[in-house]
Amino acid sequence: MKKTYINGVGCISTQKTFDTVFLEEAVVNHNENVLAIVPPSYKEYISPAASRRMAKGVKNGIVASALAMKDANVESVEAIITGTGLGCIEDSEKFLKSILDNNEEFLTPTSFIQSTHNTVGAQIALLQQCKGYNFTYVNGAVSFESALIDAKMQIEEDEANSILVGGVDENGDYTTSLFKLNGRIKADNNAPYDVLNSKTSGAVYGEGASFFVLENERKENTYAELLDVSIINTLEENEVEAAAISFLKSNNLEMSDVDALILGFDGNVDFENYYRNLAENSFAQTPVLYYKHLSGEYDTASAFAFWMAAKVLKTQEIPEIVKVNAIQKSDYKTILLYNQLNGKNHSFTLLSK
């Protein structure tokens, strides 16, 4: 079976994660409960005429995928696999609003056509003239992991040599207001918003697009090897440790083999124990990192963590801004990622140098 290597990365997020080395310009925002994207220069990648009609999720996806391909030194890929939780939610909102405003008459179909979840993958394929396998996974908080599993299986079975995989989500104003109503996002006027030592429920929300070129051969610019991905729908707080141990065991690894653990702390006090139990017990002697204070919480936020893990393995450095504890290692070879959203959709991802 062929191995899966990460050979190129591209990340557009609520931080400046392009044209910089690695999070040296990152800032923690304690005043906002919904973080907005730091926009790249779209006109370098998309013609202004086309850009005007595109939702920001589509534009961010196109730029992130272009950055990943440039990083990997590839002109084309054989497949494009995207994960998204809410798809092009802004266009969905626009279309529903115009139905109401126009009394269900005289509607232009543009917003409807562009509101589908697979718009991002389709636009990337159109721009690259990629006529290969193109698939979008919409599986809540494991949408990106589902895309990773698909890509990994295709590379292992020799069905494709290079695949573009990504996770994309955008914020829509109306959807955000609904999330605030049902407590998914922290209440307004409640700053400062602290992600690591939060005393309130709800998360600090964000948006972003991260893409990766996965290939079956190791190159000079390879970031890491993707060893394994596992998805579990429901776990109790006291079952996470056993799940992590068995996941590592299936890859012939012990807990002591993990050089860094990346956890999805999002500031929601109701579900923090899923992460705390791992960080404070089994991995108490391991460097523990977090990222949602930078990226915000969204369905494919784990793609930002995946980008971060790939960068750590390549640069062999961990920025101070993402450290949960002060433990350091001289060498980072194996990184474990664990994420869940509101107690559901648990995922473990394993990367190695």
Side-chain angles (χ1 to χ4, degrees):
M1 282 209 306
K2 297 267 178 93
K3 291 182 172 180
T4 308
Y5 296 101
I6 305 163
N7 287 346
V9 304
C11 180
I12 303 297
S13 69
T14 53
Q15 302 292 333
K16 195 165 187 297
T17 40
F18 50 92
D19 302 338
T20 68
V21 183
F22 180 28
L23 291 178
E24 77 271 22
E25 291 183 39
V27 220
V28 183
N29 186 335
H30 290 294
N31 303 319
E32 304 288 332
N33 52 353
V34 178
L35 310 176
I37 210 99
V38 174
S41 172
Y42 295 120
K43 63 177 186 285
E44 290 175 25
Y45 303 89
I46 313 161
S47 73
S51 179
R52 270 203 309 277
R53 289 193 295 276
M54 285 180 183
K56 62 183 172 187
V58 178
K59 292 194 282 195
N60 294 330
I62 288 171
V63 176
S65 62
L67 290 172
M69 290 180 67
K70 186 180 171 194
D71 193 29
N73 293 324
V74 293
E75 293 291 313
S76 62
V77 289
E78 292 166 42
I80 297 170
I81 309 176
T82 317
T84 180
L86 295 173
C88 302
I89 195 74
E90 275 196 331
D91 275 319
S92 305
E93 289 181 6
K94 269 184 208 161
F95 183 69
L96 293 171
K97 187 173 183 300
S98 66
I99 287 178
L100 296 172
D101 293 351
N102 297 305
N103 219 5
E104 301 184 23
E105 298 172 328
F106 321 120
L107 296 175
T108 54
T110 318
S111 292
F112 176 69
I113 294 164
Q114 293 185 338
S115 70
T116 57
H117 289 70
N118 51 11
T119 307
V120 182
Q123 290 285 0
I124 293 169
L126 282 169
L127 284 170
Q128 291 180 11
Q129 291 298 297
C130 172
K131 298 180 174 70
Y133 179 90
N134 194 321
F135 207 88
T136 299
Y137 284 91
V138 187
N139 293 357
V142 289
S143 301
F144 173 66
E145 286 78 1
S146 305
L148 274 183
I149 290 172
D150 187 350
K152 190 169 183 296
M153 284 163 66
Q154 293 209 34
I155 286 174
E156 283 175 354
E157 300 302 329
D158 227 356
E159 285 181 28
N161 298 325
S162 67
I163 300 179
L164 188 64
V165 182
V168 184
D169 272 299
E170 63 182 24
N171 286 332
D173 295 340
Y174 186 68
T175 309
T176 301
S177 68
L178 292 179
F179 280 173
K180 286 179 183 172
L181 270 178
N182 81 349
R184 203 179 220 204
I185 296 178
K186 288 192 178 299
D188 290 343
N189 308 322
N190 217 351
Y193 298 102
D194 188 6
V195 166
L196 205 54
N197 303 305
S198 170
K199 302 281 184 284
T200 54
S201 60
V204 173
Y205 248 65
E207 55 187 347
S210 303
F211 272 83
F212 308 89
V213 175
L214 302 185
E215 295 183 301
N216 60 1
E217 56 180 297
R218 188 175 175 165
K219 298 179 176 173
E220 278 180 19
N221 56 341
T222 294
Y223 280 77
E225 182 190 340
L226 171 60
L227 289 180
D228 201 1
V229 185
S230 170
I231 294 171
I232 304 164
N233 182 254
T234 44
L235 280 175
E236 295 301 322
E237 287 177 7
N238 56 0
E239 295 172 334
V240 174
E241 197 170 317
I245 292 170
S246 101
F247 175 66
L248 289 169
K249 205 171 188 177
S250 64
N251 289 283
N252 301 319
L253 292 169
E254 302 284 325
M255 292 216 164
S256 53
D257 296 323
V258 176
D259 299 311
L261 173 68
I262 302 184
L263 298 174
F265 286 107
D266 64 1
N268 188 344
V269 73
D270 303 333
F271 300 100
E272 287 311 58
N273 279 343
Y274 279 104
Y275 301 122
R276 290 241 176 272
N277 290 349
L278 275 187
E280 291 169 6
N281 301 328
S282 20
F283 290 98
Q285 301 308 312
T286 307
V288 177
L289 323 180
Y290 72 132
Y291 57 96
K292 286 177 187 167
H293 58 311
L294 302 179
S295 71
E297 174 69 277
Y298 52 99
D299 284 319
T300 49
S302 52
F304 183 89
F306 193 80
W307 170 82
M308 204 168 92
K311 284 281 201 184
V312 168
L313 288 168
K314 189 169 189 178
T315 61
Q316 289 293 303
E317 282 175 16
I318 296 180
E320 283 298 323
I321 199 164
V322 298
K323 291 180 178 175
V324 174
N325 58 19
I327 298 165
Q328 290 180 326
K329 296 239 172 152
S330 55
D331 194 15
Y332 298 99
K333 288 188 185 130
T334 308
I335 295 184
L336 175 65
L337 286 71
Y338 167 58
N339 187 49
Q340 54 84 28
L341 181 58
N342 298 341
K344 296 256 169 50
N345 290 334
H346 305 262
S347 65
F348 293 97
T349 307
L350 198 57
L351 296 180
S352 101
K353 188 177 158 185

